[in-house]
Every structure is written in structure tokens, then in C-alpha cells.
Amino acid sequence: MRVAVFTEPHRGASYDDQLRFARLAEDGGFEGFLRADHYQAMGDEEALPGPTDAWLTLAALARETSRIRLGTLVTSATFRPPGPLAVMVAQVDQMSGGRVELGIGAGWYAREHISYGIPFPGTSERFDRLAEQLEVITGLWDTPSGKTFSYTGDHYQLADCPALPKPVQTPGPPVIVGGRGPKRTPELAARHADEFNVPFTSVEQTAEAYERVREASDRVDRTGTGRRPLVLSAGIVVAIGRTDAEARRRAAPLHVKSALPPEDPVVGSPEQLIDRIGEFAAIGTERVHLRLIDLADLDHLELIAAEVLPRLDGPR
């Protein structure tokens, strides 16, 4: 089982907080450090010192870490045009020596768009834009050096783009598409992604989502795209401790009112987290993203590294 940590700096974390956490995750043997791409907290908390931009942060982490993979779960397609985003991700991939992953979604949190003056179209248009962004980004990365890339869509048009810079990884950084949507999300993942992620829900609901993306994959011809075989991954909200009281303390933020949809956290002992990961493995999960709520709680990360990772089979 491949194990990454997932963090939410919009809850309140500076760049230095994230650097400290990422370095400790790297030292602890985690495969990846992925972060949310949000500009505002989901509840009413003050969330000081304020937001940090995901790709600015990952660029800096690329130069201050050496092994751990870095990425987003997930970049909102409403935040950045696909051409500049492809440049950003390719550059960070170069800066990291080929350790970057692009998680990308349609965007959903209306409040942060209103707060920061970002256009927020309806659901159908956001998914249409996401589909075009995936075509543009992967098309730019796939274009051979010396050639140009053009694209004409309903929302984005590119003419004779030099399709530079090129990322280190070929055909490009792994693309992660995820969500609980029953129709367009599995289809987009099957067509364009290297990883399909189901975020923070039950094993049963995750298995149902996997079946939908398998069915979509059967309908889609990926031949000649150069995309990797589709990895199935799951997100797990984690609040574990050496005692029940410690686990409950870490779970307290989960009870605060939030815009997030219902989740299925693991609250308890390291053994309970190991069991949950085993249940996900049994339905075909190849990678898990452990969502740790408090970036200042380094002991939580060290506990997982010491008591959970050594008891999982396979590379981490």
C-alpha cells in the first residue's frame, strides 16, 4: 500500500508549518505530501495566518525536500487557466526532479470564490471547463519539443502554443481526478487521469465509485495516450492516539460545523487505522491519502510513521 499524507493549510498554517510537516513526513517514510488548494477555511474559524497558494508552496517545497512526492488534492479548475497551470506544474516538476502530481477538480466551494473575486459558474459549466483543462494540460505536456499545440474549445482557445516548459516526468506528472460524482467524474478520470481518488467516505461507497470508474474505463480507449494504468486511491480522515482521550482530542475539529460533505473518519488506535487500510486494500485500493487535520501536531504524524507504516505490506 502506498501511503501519502494530505493536509489542509487553509485551516491555518504558514509556509514554515508546511515545510516542517513535509520534511517530517519525508523522514518518516511517507510516499507523498499533498495539500488542498483552497483560499478560505470551510467553517467560521479565523484560520490565521491566512491562506497560502498551493503551487507557490509546492514550488518552495520542491527545493527543500529530496524524496517525497508533492501535489494537490485538488487544484480547482476555476482558479487558473489551463495554459499557465501547465507551465506552473511543469516548472515545479523540474524544480523537484520529477516528484510532482496534479490533482485537479471542477471546484465546489462558492464562498471562497465570492470572497476573492473568482468567477464561479454553475456545476455543468465547471465540469465542462475541467474537461477542457484536462485536454489542454495533457495536450501541452504530450506535444513534442519543437512542435506547437493549438486547441479550440467552448471555454479555452490556444493558438500555436510552444508547449513549454516540459516536465521531467513523461508523458507528464501523474494526473489525479477524484470525487464522489456518479457520472462525469468517473468518465473524466477514465479518459485523462493516472489516479482516481475517492475522498474520505466509507469503504462501501468507495467500492461503488471504483466500479463506476472501471465501467467508464471499459468504454474509453486510452490506447496511444501514453497514460499510465489507472491507480485507485482513497482518502481517509485520521484521528488516532495512544489513548482514547488522545484520539478524541484529535477528532474534536471534526465536530465543528463545516461546508464539507459527510465523512467516515478513523478515530481510535493505530490498529484501527491499519484495519481500515486493510479494508480498502481488499476492494482494490492501491494508495491511501491520510488526512491529518492539525499541521502543528507533529506527534500525530510521528505516531503513524512509527506504529502504522511498518505494519503495511509493500512500498510506501
Side-chain angles (χ1 to χ4, degrees), residues 206-228:
T206 301
E208 292 170 355
Y210 287 171
E211 186 58 32
R212 290 193 292 268
V213 82
R214 289 188 184 106
E215 291 173 354
S217 297
D218 288 341
R219 298 191 298 268
V220 172
D221 182 11
R222 289 164 62 105
T223 304
T225 65
R227 307 313 303 172
R228 305 163 184 88

Side-chain angles (χ1 to χ4, degrees), residues 85-156:
L85 179 58
V87 171
M88 291 180 200
V89 179
Q91 184 177 2
V92 179
D93 197 48
Q94 292 178 357
M95 294 167 71
S96 70
R99 293 184 285 125
V100 161
E101 307 183 16
L102 171 63
I104 186 167
W108 65 274
Y109 189 34
R111 176 178 164 184
E112 66 187 335
H113 291 76
I114 295 168
S115 294
Y116 285 91
I118 303 169
F120 188 69
T123 302
S124 179
E125 181 179 331
R126 294 201 309 276
F127 271 92
D128 290 344
R129 287 179 175 271
L130 172 60
E132 290 191 17
Q133 288 218 358
L134 286 163
E135 292 177 2
V136 169
I137 291 167
T138 56
L140 287 167
W141 291 341
D142 290 343
T143 299
S145 295
K147 303 291 186 180
T148 61
F149 176 82
S150 297
Y151 179 85
T152 301
D154 293 332
H155 303 285
Y156 304 104

Side-chain angles (χ1 to χ4, degrees), residues 168-186:
V168 172
Q169 299 175 89
T170 56
V175 173
I176 306 170
V177 171
R180 306 182 192 182
K183 295 181 180 179
R184 297 198 68 178
T185 298

Side-chain angles (χ1 to χ4, degrees), residues 1-5 25 28-32 67-69 286-288 304-305 308-316:
M1 179 65 71
R2 300 163 55 194
V3 184
V5 293
F30 291 88
E31 181 199 49
R67 180 197 59 81
I68 199 163
R69 297 193 64 79
E286 301 165 79
R287 189 187 200 194
V288 291
I304 297 170
V308 176
L309 294 190
R311 296 167 62 182
L312 303 177
D313 294 331
R316 294 183 292 276

